[in-house]
Amino acid sequence: MTFRRLLMLFIIGFGIAWIVSTFQDSPGYMDADYYYVTGLHLAKGFGFSEPFLWNFMDSPAGLPHPSHAYWMPLTSMLAAVGMFITKNYQFASAQLGFIFLAGFLPPLTAALSFALNNDKTWSTWAGLLAAFSGFYLAYLPTTDSFIIYMLLGAIYFLVLIKVTDFRYSSIYLGFLAGMMHLTRADGLIWLLIAISIAVSRSRKDLKKLILSNLLTLSGYLLVMLPWLLRNQLVFGTMLSPGGAKAFWFTTYDDLYSYPSGLVTISRWWSTGLGEIIQSRFWALGQNLQTAIGVQGGIFLAPLIMLGAWRSRENAGVRWGIITWLISLGVMTVVFPFAGARGGFFHSGAALQALMWALVPEGLRSFLRWGQQVRSWQKNQAKTFFKIAIICFAMIFSLFLGYNRIIGDSLVNPEWNRQYEKYTHIESALQEMGADSNDVVMVNNPPGFFAASARPSVAIPNGDIETSLNVARRYEIDYILLEFNHPNGLDQLYEKPIDFPGLRYIWSDGDTHIFAVESSP
């Protein structure tokens, strides 16, 4: 691949991400809100802390709370870089690093494709597919882990394919696995893959086996050891304390259980083996839909599978297939509820560049079949399908991006509506005399803080008494009850009236506000 081609692809990728970002005045959803606010705290010098509680899995003592007890910190660190450099603490500054990194996705995909097929033209075409990234387009410029994970995954497979010296390969893959784990908790899978690769390459040579594994672990610990020690110091455990309980969820809403001691292995087992198995089959169905619709972009899925089959002798492709199957298994069997509700969507991003890189081989195989069976003209068919697929990818991406970001109003984009709603509610609270330090209970605490700079706590899964227990424990002043509230609060939401411990004070559209009464 020539520098000129790679630069062209970078400019295209960067330009598309920048255009998308101009319609995003806010992070857009809770994950991105979380990384933005924790990045904001880093940039302002508050360290790894968060002014909200979005779940209770680690039995938090109160506010402020040590950050990243559930999610990993690298995305927050990238968000902080843009704000720190510009000395501007608005969301647009937090986006800068993500937009810049998005420019590297098309050239890295092209480089990976070139490593597989050794054809500049086809590889450039694969890079263009990555520029129009389908379902991922709306998420690349916001403060979430997608673009980081995509790039790290692309580099991981480039190293696996191109670096032949086992010493360099081992330490590079270990380092990249550490970066991926610092990005997402499921990044630990990539360390296991790196170790498996080291074992497979040196299993007949004991000295080489020991050295390659030591180098892999050294590369990993070079990145992760400081964070593991921080967790041990702050939480008393090296891995995220909140994530461990996810093994025993019986529904996704268990993530918001209070107290967290309710989530136990005995409770999980008491649901019955039939329910446990059924929930995994449900998750499998959801995740396979994600695989075809999101990762495969629907129309590219057959070409990706065909390309993977035709390239199966390549070590990078073989390990890519293995990693995808392991990721699917983990997000189906181990974490079915988190996996089906976005976990597999996020984790699959690391394999996305490889999938786009496989499309050329899949299409070339399809064209060879057409020549042999349907008597297609080689050059004419190749030109037609290449142009048609790129055009469809562009239309498909723009359609999905437009609906996710703009929605039904160009003037009032869907992406920013929750942020604007929370900003309006904050103004109403101030007009009602709320103090700046008063704490609210709300569905999306990071999002509410992003819009208001007000400390916030999540509404727990449960009934009114559960919410009141949390309100007393964390000294909540107001409860904001929205349309997507826990089922146990249905009655209070449908008929917002005073309740022992709660005083109904105001409604705005689909949101009701209650003041928490002090105990006598």
Side-chain angles (χ1 to χ4, degrees):
M1 292 295 292
T2 64
F3 176 77
R4 181 177 295 181
R5 285 175 182 264
L6 296 176
L7 179 61
M8 177 199 71
L9 289 170
F10 173 84
I11 293 170
I12 292 172
F14 177 84
I16 291 173
W18 178 78
I19 291 170
V20 171
S21 74
T22 61
F23 296 97
Q24 297 174 325
D25 297 329
S26 64
Y29 53 99
M30 191 169 76
D31 302 37
D33 290 323
Y34 180 89
Y35 292 123
Y36 164 58
V37 174
T38 50
L40 177 68
H41 262 218
L42 281 173
K44 287 186 172 182
F46 296 121
F48 288 102
S49 66
E50 52 195 35
F52 50 76
L53 301 177
W54 75 272
N55 69 64
F56 311 98
M57 288 293 100
D58 66 319
S59 302
L63 293 173
H65 176 252
S67 66
H68 303 90
Y70 190 86
W71 285 323
M72 300 300 285
L74 188 58
T75 306
S76 300
M77 294 161 71
L78 179 60
V81 169
M83 292 183 279
F84 181 80
I85 291 174
T86 61
K87 301 301 180 186
N88 183 306
Y89 303 112
Q90 302 302 311
F91 175 65
S93 294
Q95 283 182 288
L96 292 176
F98 298 87
I99 298 169
F100 178 69
L101 288 185
F104 288 97
L105 182 59
L108 271 174
T109 301
L112 184 54
S113 182
F114 187 74
L116 294 173
N117 60 49
N118 202 36
D119 187 297
K120 295 177 183 178
T121 303
W122 279 105
S123 299
T124 303
W125 182 76
L128 291 174
L129 288 177
F132 302 106
S133 48
F135 278 90
Y136 288 106
L137 181 62
Y139 301 95
L140 298 188
T142 196
T143 48
D144 203 347
S145 62
F146 289 106
I147 187 59
I148 302 174
Y149 225 39
M150 283 183 178
L151 296 185
L152 290 173
I155 298 170
Y156 192 99
F157 286 110
L158 273 172
V159 169
L160 178 55
I161 294 169
K162 300 293 289 184
V163 180
T164 56
D165 189 309
F166 82 95
R167 294 166 298 180
Y168 293 110
S169 176
S170 296
I171 198 165
Y172 292 161
L173 291 179
F175 178 84
L176 288 166
M179 294 291 288
M180 296 174 88
H181 193 188
L182 202 63
T183 304
R184 283 185 52 81
D186 56 61
L188 193 59
I189 292 172
W190 294 86
L191 174 62
L192 300 178
I193 293 298
I195 292 172
S196 299
I197 291 169
V199 170
S200 70
R201 287 179 169 178
S202 54
R203 59 180 178 270
K204 295 180 181 180
D205 185 332
L206 181 59
K207 183 178 177 181
K208 184 179 177 181
L209 176 65
I210 294 172
L211 179 59
S212 59
N213 277 283
L214 284 176
L215 289 171
T216 299
L217 290 172
S218 297
Y220 169 80
L221 291 175
L222 183 66
V223 177
M224 280 298 296
L225 186 59
W227 186 251
L228 296 175
L229 293 176
R230 177 265 184 183
N231 283 347
Q232 184 65 42
L233 181 65
V234 174
F235 300 116
T237 175
M238 285 193 170
L239 297 178
S240 301
K245 289 185 178 293
F247 287 114
W248 316 123
F249 285 177
T250 59
T251 71
Y252 182 77
D253 289 339
D254 282 347
L255 177 57
Y256 304 99
S257 293
Y258 179 86
S260 62
L262 294 173
V263 181
T264 63
I265 184 173
S266 59
R267 172 177 170 271
W268 171 79
W269 185 250
S270 70
T271 62
L273 185 59
E275 179 62 30
I276 291 170
I277 294 173
Q278 183 179 350
S279 64
R280 269 97 187 132
F281 274 109
W282 166 80
L284 177 62
Q286 297 296 308
N287 290 335
L288 289 177
Q289 289 180 50
T290 297
I292 296 170
V294 176
Q295 298 169 356
I298 301 174
F299 69 100
L300 292 178
L303 297 178
I304 292 169
M305 289 187 284
L306 182 57
W309 175 254
R310 296 286 299 182
S311 306
R312 64 190 183 279
E313 296 302 319
N314 184 283
V317 176
R318 286 201 309 274
W319 282 108
I321 294 170
I322 291 169
T323 306
W324 184 86
L325 289 171
I326 291 173
S327 179
L328 175 66
V330 168
M331 292 298 170
T332 298
V333 178
V334 184
F335 303 112
F337 302 105
R341 287 284 294 267
F344 189 58
F345 177 43
H346 278 78
S347 66
L351 290 146
Q352 198 61 50
L354 178 62
M355 292 184 184
W356 287 317
L358 287 168
V359 173
E361 183 56 37
L363 181 55
R364 289 200 297 188
S365 298
F366 176 66
L367 291 174
R368 284 194 291 269
W369 172 86
Q371 289 176 248
Q372 296 169 3
V373 178
R374 310 292 296 180
S375 300
W376 288 348
Q377 295 296 318
K378 178 180 178 181
N379 292 332
Q380 184 179 10
K382 180 173 74 172
T383 301
F384 171 79
F385 279 104
K386 286 175 72 175
I387 293 174
I389 289 173
I390 284 293
C391 288
F392 194 84
M394 180 174 63
I395 294 169
F396 182 67
S397 301
L398 293 176
F399 173 79
L400 293 171
Y402 189 94
N403 279 281
R404 178 65 182 90
I405 299 171
I406 307 300
D408 56 10
S409 174
L410 189 62
V411 178
N412 182 26
E414 176 73 28
W415 189 270
N416 303 315
R417 287 179 191 172
Q418 185 179 70
Y419 180 87
E420 292 171 354
K421 182 180 82 168
Y422 281 166
T423 301
H424 175 67
I425 290 174
E426 171 60 20
S427 297
L429 287 171
Q430 293 179 14
E431 290 174 4
M432 288 184 285
D435 186 84
S436 60
N437 293 320
D438 286 348
V439 183
V440 300
M441 183 184 289
V442 65
N443 273 350
N444 179 359
F448 196 82
F449 184 91
S452 66
R454 181 179 295 280
S456 313
V457 174
I459 296 178
N461 185 41
D463 56 17
I464 297 175
E465 192 58 38
T466 305
S467 292
L468 286 173
N469 288 338
V470 171
R472 298 185 194 104
R473 173 69 180 81
Y474 298 107
E475 299 179 343
I476 307 297
D477 299 287
Y478 298 94
I479 295 179
L480 276 56
L481 201 57
E482 301 173 72
F483 72 95
N484 52 340
H485 54 272
N487 294 335
L489 300 179
D490 280 348
Q491 185 176 359
L492 187 62
Y493 181 80
E494 292 167 3
K495 294 182 179 180
I497 58 175
D498 290 354
F499 187 87
L502 294 176
R503 177 167 53 88
Y504 169 65
I505 55 176
W506 184 68
S507 289
D508 178 45
D510 60 5
T511 304
H512 309 307
I513 299 181
F514 298 84
V516 179
E517 300 284 3
S518 301
S519 300

